[in-house]
């Protein structure tokens, strides 16, 4: 907001909301303030009436003074339970109103959950297949993916490059079932991802999404997120692999530094590396980096990739990037365009082919030279 010089109008909106909140509370307090004296007044009025009428009866001899006193005694005893009853009714009504709101939240069913066909599967090795995968986000929109056919053997590193909006992130989302693929199109170890228990599938996948999400907790808690009983040594190991070690040593409280509003604000690159450390921490069979090194300089990037290669030996890695330097060493590079794989091969093969990848490479070389000069 500061960047748009919108402070005044935002403050005005905030003030208006505050004013409304205060006004509503004030009127509630007014009503509540009225209630107590009103109650006292009515009780007093009741006594006056009883005294007048009962007294009259006693004087006339229709009732003994004893009976009249007895009646008064019972009445006094009944007043407080009656007030309490009113209070409970009020409390009950407020409670049900609150509960209704909470239930609405609890009742939300996640769209993606264990399918009835899900059953226990042998440990995941990491072979991934896409079989003639077509996908559209909804009926009215054009296809985002148009027939992806690709087999990734366990242990391979496969990279995806391509223009923005060509469906790279969409493709990655299918593997941990962040998005549900059509049946029979995405398989892990020959089994449809929809036939895995969700928790099982996701525990085998370390996914660093394009948009990093960190919690307002300590750095260590952010890295160890989702891993039960993580030791500090493991957290440090993961941070080191992700190239975050030096940064953490510069933080006031190291791994116990709070992240976010109540602590320090991490730079874009630090956030990305924290997210990578989080994924590495799980020692996943399948690691997915969706443009996860975009905010890191090429030197740091190379260091991290080299360390990841050590960890990911015999494990499957999928790397999405816009930078050639990130994908160069992959076993297979796929170039996506408008939802199709238009080129595939190793760095050398694709350069020799002289297609889109080669053009991208040329362009980035040129940019580097320009930046250097
Ligand atoms: N949740 C969604 N609902 C509708 N359309 C979507 C949704 N997410 C993505 N899209 C569309 O799908 C297409 C592919 O998006 P995707 O995020 O997969 O591209 P990408 O290749 O990862 O791009 P980038 O390189 O910019 O990250 C885009 O046209 C995008 O507008
Ligand atoms: Mg993307």
């Amino acid at each position: 907001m500061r960047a748009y010089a919108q402070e005044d109008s935002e403050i005005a909106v905030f003030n208006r909301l505050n004013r409304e909140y205060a006004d509503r509370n004030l009127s509630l307090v007014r009503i509540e303030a009225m209630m107590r004296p009103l109650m006292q007044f009515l009780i007093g009025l009741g006594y006056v009436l009883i005294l007048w009428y009962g007294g009259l009866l006693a004087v006339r001899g229709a009732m003994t003074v004893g009976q009249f006193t007895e009646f008064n005694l019972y009445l006094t005893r009944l007043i407080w339970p009656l007030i309490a009853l009113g209070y409970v009714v009020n409390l009950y009504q407020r409670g049900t109103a609150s509960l209704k709101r909470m239930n609405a939240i609890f009742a939300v069913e996640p769209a993606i959950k264990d399918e009835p066909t899900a059953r226990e599967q042998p440990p995941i090795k990491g072979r991934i297949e896409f079989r003639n995968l077509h996908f559209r986000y909804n009926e009215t929109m054009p296809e985002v993916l148009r027939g992806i056919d690709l087999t990734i053997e366990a242990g391979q590193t496969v990279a995806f490059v391509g223009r923005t909006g060509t469906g790279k992130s969409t493709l990655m989302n299918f593997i941990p079932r962040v998005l549900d693929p059509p049946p029979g199109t995405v398989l892990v170890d020959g089994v449809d991802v929809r036939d895995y228990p969700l928790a099982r599938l996701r525990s085998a996948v370390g996914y660093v999404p394009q948009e990093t999400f960190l919690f307002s907790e300590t750095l260590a808690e952010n890295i160890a997120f989702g891993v039960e009983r993580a030791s500090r040594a493991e957290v440090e190991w993961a941070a080191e692999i992700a190239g975050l070690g030096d940064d953490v040593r510069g933080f006031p409280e190291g791994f116990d530094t709070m992240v976010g509003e109540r602590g320090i604000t991490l730079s874009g690159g630090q956030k990305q590396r924290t997210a990578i450390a989080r994924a590495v921490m799980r020692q996943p069979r399948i690691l997915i980096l969706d443009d996860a090194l975009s905010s890191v300089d090429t030197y740091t990037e190379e260091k991290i990739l080299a360390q990841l290669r050590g960890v990911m030996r015999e494990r499957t890695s999928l790397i999405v990037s816009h930078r050639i330097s990130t994908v160069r060493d992959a076993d297979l590079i796929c170039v996506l365009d408008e939802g199709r794989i238009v080129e595939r091969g190793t760095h050398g093969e694709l350069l020799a082919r002289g297609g889109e990848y080669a053009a991208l490479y040329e362009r980035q070389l040129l940019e580097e030279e320009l930046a250097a000069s």
Side-chain angles (χ1 to χ4, degrees), residues 208 212 214 219 222-224 233-249 251 255 266-284 287-289 292-312:
V208 185
T212 35
L214 299 184
L219 202 59
N222 265 294
I223 293 174
E234 285 173 289
V235 170
E236 279 173 19
W237 169 82
E240 218 53 60
I241 303 267
L244 196 66
D246 287 333
D247 300 74
V248 176
R249 279 183 277 281
F251 290 158
F255 281 101
L266 297 182
S267 75
Q270 286 168 338
K271 276 187 200 153
Q272 285 193 328
R273 280 173 287 152
T274 307
I276 294 174
R278 182 190 286 165
V280 168
M281 184 78 197
R282 313 164 70 97
Q283 309 213 17
L287 179 72
I288 303 172
L289 303 181
L293 291 159
S294 58
S295 307
V296 178
D297 61 82
T298 39
Y299 168 73
T300 315
E301 173 183 31
E302 230 155 86
K303 212 175 87 188
I304 297 170
L305 284 174
Q307 284 164 340
L308 277 177
R309 267 194 284 281
V311 182
M312 292 309 291

Side-chain angles (χ1 to χ4, degrees), residues 165 168-170 210 290-291 320 322:
K168 303 181 295 296
S169 299
T170 307
Q210 198 162 14
D290 189 354
D291 224 3
V320 175
H322 287 275

Side-chain angles (χ1 to χ4, degrees), residues 143-194:
E143 280 192 343
V144 172
L145 294 174
R146 312 174 188 201
I148 301 282
D149 269 303
L150 176 67
T151 304
I152 301 167
E153 296 300 334
Q156 273 194 323
T157 299
V158 176
F160 298 85
V161 295
R163 253 175 294 197
T164 172
T166 52
K168 303 181 295 296
S169 299
T170 307
L171 194 62
M172 296 304 116
N173 278 334
F174 291 135
I175 297 164
R177 271 185 78 200
V178 175
L179 265 180
D180 246 346
T185 56
V186 181
L187 296 87
V188 170
D189 291 353
V191 176
D192 192 330
V193 286
R194 302 162 66 117

Side-chain angles (χ1 to χ4, degrees), residues 14-311:
F14 186 59
N15 274 343
R16 194 164 45 72
L17 288 175
N18 274 327
R19 197 66 255 162
E20 189 181 319
Y21 181 69
D23 285 346
R24 285 184 183 211
N25 266 304
L26 261 177
S27 64
L28 179 69
V29 166
R30 274 200 201 100
I31 291 171
E32 275 180 351
M34 282 281 289
M35 282 308 282
R36 202 163 259 271
L38 191 71
M39 225 150 60
Q40 297 280 3
F41 174 73
L42 287 177
I43 291 170
L45 192 70
Y47 270 125
V48 170
L49 286 176
I50 286 163
L51 218 60
W52 172 70
Y53 186 61
L56 213 66
L57 289 182
V59 168
R60 284 196 195 139
M63 194 194 238
T64 66
V65 177
Q67 278 171 327
F68 179 60
T69 315
E70 201 182 331
F71 178 79
N72 257 331
L73 213 73
Y74 288 144
L75 193 71
T76 319
R77 286 203 178 187
L78 267 178
I79 286 174
W80 276 110
L82 275 178
I83 292 176
L85 193 70
Y87 179 72
V88 166
V89 168
N90 177 23
L91 206 66
Y92 177 80
Q93 278 175 344
R94 279 182 177 219
T96 39
S98 305
L99 193 68
K100 220 151 96 190
R101 288 190 203 167
M102 298 219 324
N103 278 339
I105 294 169
F106 291 147
V108 175
E109 272 216 23
I112 295 176
K113 51 182 189 286
D114 279 355
E115 300 283 327
T117 51
R119 48 188 48 87
E120 216 28 68
Q121 307 284 355
I124 290 176
K125 291 198 188 70
R127 183 173 193 267
I128 301 168
E129 276 172 85
F130 298 105
R131 282 192 196 157
N132 191 25
L133 168 59
H134 288 260
F135 182 77
R136 61 178 84 222
Y137 276 95
N138 64 47
E139 302 306 316
T140 57
M141 293 215 281
E143 280 192 343
V144 172
L145 294 174
R146 312 174 188 201
I148 301 282
D149 269 303
L150 176 67
T151 304
I152 301 167
E153 296 300 334
Q156 273 194 323
T157 299
V158 176
F160 298 85
V161 295
R163 253 175 294 197
T164 172
T166 52
K168 303 181 295 296
S169 299
T170 307
L171 194 62
M172 296 304 116
N173 278 334
F174 291 135
I175 297 164
R177 271 185 78 200
V178 175
L179 265 180
D180 246 346
T185 56
V186 181
L187 296 87
V188 170
D189 291 353
V191 176
D192 192 330
V193 286
R194 302 162 66 117
D195 291 341
Y196 280 96
L198 205 53
R200 187 58 198 288
L201 178 70
R202 288 187 180 163
S203 69
V205 180
Y207 185 19
V208 185
Q210 198 162 14
E211 307 283 335
T212 35
F213 185 84
L214 299 184
F215 300 97
S216 292
E217 288 177 357
T218 68
L219 202 59
E221 283 167 325
N222 265 294
I223 293 174
F225 176 74
V227 178
E228 280 175 51
R229 284 190 296 278
S231 72
R232 182 48 62 93
E234 285 173 289
V235 170
E236 279 173 19
W237 169 82
E240 218 53 60
I241 303 267
L244 196 66
D246 287 333
D247 300 74
V248 176
R249 279 183 277 281
F251 290 158
E253 287 163 75
F255 281 101
D256 295 316
T257 308
M258 289 295 288
V259 175
E261 285 190 358
R262 288 179 293 148
I264 55 165
T265 307
L266 297 182
S267 75
Q270 286 168 338
K271 276 187 200 153
Q272 285 193 328
R273 280 173 287 152
T274 307
I276 294 174
R278 182 190 286 165
V280 168
M281 184 78 197
R282 313 164 70 97
Q283 309 213 17
R285 295 306 310 177
I286 300 168
L287 179 72
I288 303 172
L289 303 181
D290 189 354
D291 224 3
L293 291 159
S294 58
S295 307
V296 178
D297 61 82
T298 39
Y299 168 73
T300 315
E301 173 183 31
E302 230 155 86
K303 212 175 87 188
I304 297 170
L305 284 174
Q307 284 164 340
L308 277 177
R309 267 194 284 281
V311 182

